Amino acid sequence: LDLQNTYYKLEESLKSLKERYEDLLPYQNLSVNQARLENLRFSSVTLGYITKEKYDTFKGHMDTMDAYVDLLSSDDQFIYVSILIDKDQSQRLSDLLESLDFRVEPTRPFDKTNVEVIGDFKKEMDALNSEMKKIVEFFESSSKDLGALKLLHDQLLSKDNKHQITLLNTETTLYV
């Protein structure tokens, strides 16, 4: 029962870690650690994504605001970017992004680059998967052992075979 609870806890940890990993994956090309983005003196950095259909409109607005846009990655639906702008333009940018249905991602207080954090996440997920595999193997082994014991028990109780079974007993093993 303890192993089963341990397995479920590992499974929940893996699920949570995988969600964080997948959220971070589109931003793996961000070349600085995200903790540094919080303390910029004269600029602010916004991370997020926008649909591919609205990207050209978004890019045009960014050019008029003198914002630097770094395309980090894209998938079938979205383009993931970082936006660097003067701090005094932050509220105007925020309003504009909201009108374009731009999804802002919170910066994370990582002291490593995203590539390093993603690598750490992979290692941790591999370790969790390994622990879960050990527990599954234990249960499979125990299940086989229980099946063999049940078969032996049934044979011993069987009236037809009662006289056909001979037991040989050593200190550690019972042979039939």
Side-chain angles (χ1 to χ4, degrees):
L1 191 59
D2 286 340
L3 275 178
Q4 189 174 13
N5 288 336
T6 302
Y7 181 85
Y8 290 136
K9 287 178 185 176
L10 289 172
E11 192 174 45
E12 283 298 315
S13 296
L14 181 63
K15 181 181 175 185
S16 171
L17 188 60
K18 197 171 189 174
E19 287 173 1
R20 291 172 48 207
Y21 169 82
E22 288 172 358
D23 286 346
L24 193 57
L25 205 53
Y27 302 99
Q28 69 182 341
N29 294 328
L30 187 65
S31 58
V32 298
N33 64 45
Q34 290 192 31
R36 291 185 59 202
L37 300 178
E38 292 290 322
N39 301 322
L40 299 175
R41 186 176 232 175
F42 300 108
S43 304
S44 71
V45 175
T46 302
L47 299 175
Y49 58 96
I50 190 162
T51 61
K52 284 188 170 185
E53 296 83 31
K54 294 184 179 182
Y55 181 73
D56 289 334
T57 304
F58 160 80
K59 185 72 171 132
H61 285 293
M62 294 299 103
D63 290 342
T64 63
M65 292 183 69
D66 291 330
Y68 173 74
V69 176
D70 187 16
L71 189 131
L72 299 172
S73 67
S74 64
D75 58 26
D76 293 339
Q77 295 177 315
F78 300 107
I79 295 178
Y80 300 85
V81 299
S82 65
I83 306 166
L84 177 69
I85 194 162
D86 290 334
K87 274 204 179 184
D88 60 344
Q89 296 280 343
S90 293
Q91 185 57 46
R92 185 172 162 222
L93 175 66
S94 178
D95 294 341
L96 178 64
L97 294 178
E98 188 175 321
S99 72
L100 293 171
D101 293 328
F102 183 91
R103 304 279 191 323
V104 175
E105 284 289 320
T107 54
R108 295 160 179 91
F110 298 141
D111 290 331
K112 298 178 179 181
T113 65
N114 287 353
V115 171
E116 294 169 326
V117 173
I118 287 170
D120 292 346
F121 282 175
K122 283 182 184 176
K123 288 177 188 173
E124 198 172 334
M125 287 188 302
D126 288 345
L128 289 171
N129 277 324
S130 176
E131 288 297 313
M132 291 169 62
K133 184 177 179 181
K134 287 178 187 176
I135 292 172
V136 167
E137 287 171 355
F138 172 79
F139 280 126
E140 287 174 348
S141 171
S142 296
S143 174
K144 288 177 185 174
D145 292 345
L146 286 174
L149 285 173
K150 180 172 179 0
L151 179 62
L152 177 62
H153 178 263
D154 291 347
Q155 286 176 347
L156 290 172
L157 291 179
S158 170
K159 291 182 182 178
D160 296 334
N161 295 331
K162 196 176 215 180
H163 301 293
Q164 297 174 4
I165 297 176
T166 23
L167 299 177
L168 174 63
N169 191 10
T170 65
E171 289 182 19
T172 59
T173 309
L174 175 66
Y175 295 98
V176 179

